[in-house]
Every structure is written in structure tokens, then in C-alpha cells.
Amino acid sequence: MYDHAQKLRAAGFEVIPVDPVSKSPGVTGWTTRTYTVGEVRDALFNKRWGIGIRNYEVIDFDNKGTPDAKTLFSGWKTLVEQKYPGIVEKLLIEQSQHGGFHVTWKCSEIEDSQKLANRKPTPEELQKDPHATTVSLIETKGLGGQFIVSP
């Protein structure tokens, strides 16, 4: 995994260490902080953390019940292929650790992270968080955002 992190760095990605449970680097200021090679190595080897990519455009299809991420992603993929035939095969697509999907591409302008599709919380979700008003299904991760990648 460390070799993969180094390859991502060499390719120009902002690599950050990410706790696989909280999906966060777990430190204040992580959105602008520069991580050293040693810090990334320590997080991967000693903490057993994952690799995150920061400040890069990605669409994140979350797997949070109905509709599931596979259904959402499939519908999106069909629409994009109808409008721009052949473009999907040029995108980096990977499945996330919880069954969601990340669609990544390189572009000259990166915007802030944005929510694209939400649904109302289920009664079970409201029991866990009574103040929840929406559950995010599809969002972008851009400036100030990060996502976990697999080697």
C-alpha cells in the first residue's frame, strides 16, 4: 500500500493518511496541511490506515440503503453514455470499501465539494440521529474534500 501511495504522489495526487473507520485524517487542519512521506508511511504501517486523495474531482455514490449505490451508479452511467458515448471508459472508476462507487477524472478547475442527490432519513436512521433531515446519496469531493482509494 505504501508503494501505491508513493506512485500516487509521483503522479501529482495529494496523498493523505485516512482512518478507515472515521474516513478522516483525524487532525485539525487536514484540508490544507501537507503530509510528509514519513507521516504517510507511519499511518499506513503503524496505524493500519488507508490512502486518501485530497482536492481532486470525484463523484461519490454512497451505499446508504434504498436506492443502493449500484442502482444509482448504473442509472448515472446510462445517462452519461447516452449523452457522451465512450466517455465512461475514460474515467477512473472504483468500488469503495462499503459498496459505493468513486468516479474520478482530471480537470483544470476543481470546485468545492457539493451534494448532488439526497433522500429523507428512514425511521431507523432518525433513531440514530433525530436531527437528521437528509441522507446524502451522491456528492462530489473537490476542494477541501477527500476520498479513500484502494491500491
Side-chain angles (χ1 to χ4, degrees):
M1 185 148 12
Y2 177 73
D3 289 342
H4 186 64
Q6 290 304 95
K7 286 177 186 175
L8 289 169
R9 265 184 193 251
F13 291 95
E14 286 189 58
V15 175
I16 60 174
V18 179
D19 180 332
V21 176
S22 71
K23 298 183 184 179
S24 165
V27 295
T28 305
W30 70 266
T31 57
T32 56
R33 185 172 182 275
T34 300
Y35 289 85
T36 67
V37 172
E39 287 173 314
V40 172
R41 181 184 6 227
D42 178 60
L44 295 176
F45 287 123
N46 298 325
K47 294 180 182 176
R48 312 286 293 162
W49 282 18
I51 302 168
I53 300 293
R54 173 178 69 193
N55 297 331
Y56 205 81
E57 282 293 343
V58 64
I59 298 178
D60 184 7
F61 294 84
D62 286 329
N63 203 23
K64 295 181 179 172
T66 306
D68 65 7
K70 189 173 185 179
T71 301
L72 292 167
F73 175 70
S74 178
W76 173 86
K77 187 176 171 183
T78 298
L79 287 171
V80 171
E81 275 298 318
Q82 287 172 353
K83 183 93 174 153
Y84 303 101
I87 192 123
V88 172
E89 66 192 41
K90 295 178 181 180
L91 301 171
L92 173 63
I93 300 170
E94 70 175 8
Q95 195 158 14
S96 71
Q97 64 183 0
H98 297 294
F101 292 89
H102 294 151
V103 179
T104 311
W105 63 94
K106 191 170 188 172
C107 58
S108 57
E109 266 185 61
I110 301 172
E111 295 188 8
D112 293 341
S113 298
Q114 300 174 41
K115 305 272 186 209
L116 300 179
N118 302 308
R119 67 165 169 76
K120 292 185 180 211
T122 64
E124 295 80 18
E125 290 166 335
L126 285 171
Q127 281 183 338
K128 292 178 184 175
D129 182 2
H131 302 292
T133 56
T134 61
V135 174
S136 179
L137 299 174
I138 306 172
E139 59 190 338
T140 67
K141 303 289 187 169
L143 288 178
Q146 60 85 17
F147 61 101
I148 298 173
V149 296
S150 62

